[in-house]
Amino acid sequence: MRPAWKILCLSVVVLAATLGLAHLLVPDVVPVGYAEDPQPSWSILTAFALRAIALTAAWVAIITFSVLVGTKLYRTFFRAAQRAE
């Protein structure tokens, strides 16, 4: 289970780093359709890339956490069923 914990921790660190970078680099960028003022294309592309990385890291963290919890529950109930027999 150590590799799963490493993946979970790494994805949480990547998620936090990308959210921090997005806040520092492009704090006021909004979707193009909602912008009242023109926005530079580099800021929109940077925000899009950082958001994509953050969402991917979040999904990896969610999936890894689900696998860890599922494995723990499976081991708990499987061992309990073996002891009962």
Side-chain angles (χ1 to χ4, degrees):
M1 298 315 295
R2 287 182 75 91
W5 283 108
K6 287 180 183 179
I7 291 172
L8 179 67
C9 291
L10 182 63
S11 63
V12 169
V13 167
V14 169
L15 176 63
T18 55
L19 290 177
L21 278 174
H23 183 69
L24 288 174
L25 295 177
V26 284
D28 296 327
V29 174
V30 294
V32 178
Y34 300 115
E36 294 177 7
D37 299 328
Q39 300 176 6
S41 61
W42 70 267
S43 64
I44 294 171
L45 294 174
T46 303
F48 176 78
L50 290 173
R51 183 71 172 173
I53 293 169
L55 289 175
T56 303
W59 275 111
V60 169
I62 290 168
I63 291 168
T64 306
F65 184 73
S66 300
V67 168
L68 284 169
V69 169
T71 303
K72 180 67 173 174
L73 289 174
Y74 177 76
R75 287 182 179 177
T76 302
F77 289 124
F78 185 68
R79 288 184 183 164
Q82 283 182 343
R83 290 182 194 148
E85 292 176 356

